[in-house]
Amino acid sequence: MADDVPGLVPLGPAGPERAARDVVAALGLRERAVPGRPRVVAAMIASLDGRTAVEGRSVALGHPADRQLLRELRTAADAVLVGTRTLAAERYANLLDEDQVALRRAARRAPHPVMATVSRALDLPLDVPLFAEAGVPIQVYTEHDGAPPPSPGADLAVERFDELTLPAVLEHLGSARGAQVVLCEGGPSLLRELVAQGGLDDLLLTVAPLLAAGDAPSVLEGAELDAPARLALAGVHRAGDHVVLHLRASR
């Protein structure tokens, strides 16, 4: 091997098993503030060939430890940002377990994170169970100037922009909803816009040991970025044959 070519470092398995709650706590999301907006961490899952869904949903890619990690990230977040198509496809409901709600209350935080979604035409999937859950705050961002639809049960609020951008969404979540940490759960088009507009700080990407092929979206979906976003590897965790990569945006 040439002297100027770095070698390959084996990553494990090494070290003791860690609970998802401990992994999230170690991220230090609240200790790494971002000027002018909340800190944003995205959580995504993909097959080895980069597909984020099988038969339209991500559930076939998952692992119990990965699902628990997502729920603990929701517990830590002040707001969850997710696209309406992802809300509809994944049939969002019951975001947190009772012990996670209790943990938030003990920390003197709201029992549920604000659910934030972007719908420029104000076309919401109101049949999704989340919208019928009493007490769940849902914040919708839109460019549509019509009347908001009636909510089946959740606390629905609408914020309108003449030109909707994700930096404006994040600024509103911070200033109006008090969010210090925002969890983005995609989908791929929303995450692509978040990356393109400089809003991503951390990415937790679970790689599932599957080859899916097909035409399901990749982790980012949309036009090629003007310049690829560079991330730095901050940690690696393993759950069976699934691997969770923690990456931080390079500034």
Side-chain angles (χ1 to χ4, degrees), residues 122-138:
L122 203 55
D123 183 15
L124 303 175
L126 295 177
D127 62 324
V128 169
L130 179 72
F131 285 91
E133 293 182 14
V136 174
I138 299 180

Side-chain angles (χ1 to χ4, degrees), residues 45-217:
I45 190 168
S47 64
L48 287 168
D49 53 333
R51 302 302 176 187
T52 58
V54 175
E55 296 183 349
R57 299 187 66 192
S58 64
V59 65
L61 297 169
H63 182 281
D66 165 73
R67 288 188 282 273
Q68 187 63 20
L69 180 63
L70 180 63
R71 295 178 83 84
E72 291 297 340
L73 284 166
R74 291 171 177 171
T75 304
D78 301 306
V80 176
L81 178 63
V82 60
T84 52
R85 284 185 293 179
T86 300
L87 282 174
E90 303 292 343
R91 306 295 298 170
Y92 270 52
N94 302 317
L95 295 182
L96 300 177
D97 300 326
E98 289 185 8
D99 69 312
Q100 293 165 333
V101 172
L103 188 69
R104 290 177 62 91
R105 290 187 188 275
R108 300 191 176 186
R109 296 167 56 213
H112 298 280
V114 175
M115 289 299 300
T117 191
V118 174
S119 176
R120 284 181 167 81
L122 203 55
D123 183 15
L124 303 175
L126 295 177
D127 62 324
V128 169
L130 179 72
F131 285 91
E133 293 182 14
V136 174
I138 299 180
Q139 176 69 65
V140 180
Y141 296 98
T142 188
E143 294 174 342
H144 194 270
D145 59 3
S151 171
D155 298 332
L156 185 67
V158 176
E159 183 71 14
R160 294 178 177 83
F161 294 97
D162 292 333
E163 182 179 355
L164 196 160
T165 67
L166 290 182
V169 166
L170 294 177
E171 192 281 331
H172 183 269
L173 284 173
S175 62
R177 304 304 299 243
Q180 297 178 45
V181 176
V182 173
L183 169 64
C184 177
E185 299 185 11
S189 296
L190 178 64
L191 184 57
R192 187 255 177 222
E193 290 306 305
L194 191 67
V195 172
Q197 295 175 37
L200 179 67
D201 301 301
D202 295 80
L203 172 64
L204 289 171
L205 175 63
T206 299
V207 182
L210 299 172
L211 293 169
D215 57 0

